[in-house]
Amino acid sequence: MTEINRDTEQKRIVVKVGSSTLSFANGRINLQRIERLAGVLSEVRHAGWELILVSSGAIAVGGGLLGMKKKPERLPEKQALAAVGQAELMKIYQRFFEPFHQTVAQVLLTKDGLQEKTKRINARNTLNRLLEMGILPVINENDTVSTFGIRFGNNDVLAATVAELIHAGLVIILSDIDGLYTADPRKDPQARLIDTVHDLSPTVLRSARGSDNTFGTGGMSVKLDAARICMEAGIDMIIANGKNPEVIAEILEGKKRGTLFKSQKSKD
Amino acid sequence: MEGNFVKIVVKVEIRVLLNEEGGFDPYKMERLSMVLSNLVNSGAKILIVSSGAIFLGSKKLGLDGQPEGLIDKQAVAAVGQAELMKLYRRYFEGYNQTVAQVLLTGDIFVDPEKSGNARNTLIHLLEQGVIPVINENDSVSTEDIELNDNYYLVRAVAGLTGAHLLLIKAKKPDTYILLGGSPEAGPRFIHEKELIDEVAAVERVMPGEAFREYAFPATLHKVLLEA
């Protein structure tokens, strides 16, 4: 039995991975985690699902490449590191997908590019064609040209926006927590995992705020922004723990993992 | 920095990098470099003690098998050591790690000045984020050539640097043997997938303890050869 909407026309899924999944606490890239991610994504692809990967990690990889000891704080510094790291990140993905005969393609998007009509259609056409060709698009924000005010600023919202663009049925957001809790599970022993959210009620939003500033870089409030975009577009979204990337396959096999944000319009 | 990082001596014998026909297996080297690079990324400091100079030298010179005489072995090792470093550099570069060659002789055991120099060099490399790849300086030294393994060297390096753990690449694919972490901890087989968690979970890291306890008795040696 499954509650997720697996019966979409296209069997399209957007998977978003963040730095918490791709790197160690010290910010350096976790190669073996990426290898496992590549393994499970290839398996899922070969099982017939159409996949798009939205991946952060460019800044972390860039920092490692340049031997930086500290995480950058200022935006220009981050943008420079992202430019260095994005190429290296793609090299890492290529390397780990290659044994599975899975071709990857880099697609860098900007917020204004997804708002303006012509660019939006171009982006959609490109992504559709890549999927037809059996290629896995790896999407990131084009950090080098995206500055304050015109950037998504986080890949959760980018993933939701891409899902909407290509009419995906499901977005899986891998994080460093198991999902949305009723309170901060590190501070409150009564905190429990919410398995399904049907609407973003004030209670749900309060839970998210309570667990914010504690985990990850994106924070739970940002993930709920992404959930809102998905739910309004008729797309289900799941937040799950990326420590074991195999959770992606388990979700698609119909197992209950993480927190499901059930869209109103999707079929049950 | 000495107290801040887990220092691990990694022993690699060339035989664990060979295929069934006895030739160098690039796939095995690739996996080794990926897993060890990731260990470094996780925050550990590693020092690799690697054999292979005589094997690679013999291949390079097109010799049929390996030389028997000591002088022949030393000459072949001089050729092969450069080949060995080329391999380490090529594979670890792929994961953005810098390696450095350090060749030591048996007198570092007894000469305090030499041991001090060796120690300073190794610690400095670790602080710079470089992975030292250590071998015996076979061209001028004969201790381990004669014993045909690097156990003396492993112990010397562990002692000099105050290493906490000893990690040995097993012949079995994707498998390592971990020693140390506590005085009671005997050698344990670990799948490469579990390696980082296992190292992170070490409760008491006691410099040198693993090496005092397990001074590579014959029984352990046998376990390792079968591994």
Side-chain angles (χ1 to χ4, degrees), chain A residues 24 26 28-32 35 65 88 95-96 243, chain B residues 30-31 34-35 38 41-43 94-96 192 196:
Chain A
F24 292 103
N26 63 15
R28 303 291 293 272
I29 204 81
N30 187 338
L31 298 164
Q32 285 169 290
E35 183 180 51
L65 199 63
E88 184 65 21
R95 180 194 302 256
F96 285 115
K243 191 175 193 310
Chain B
E30 169 68 27
R31 284 226 69 80
M34 194 275 280
V35 171
N38 209 31
N41 283 357
S42 78
Y95 297 104
N96 301 319
E192 62 182 25
I196 284 170

Side-chain angles (χ1 to χ4, degrees), chain A residues 214-228:
Chain A
T214 317
F215 303 103
T217 45
M220 196 51 83
S221 293
V222 168
K223 289 177 176 45
L224 293 203
D225 289 344
R228 186 184 304 283

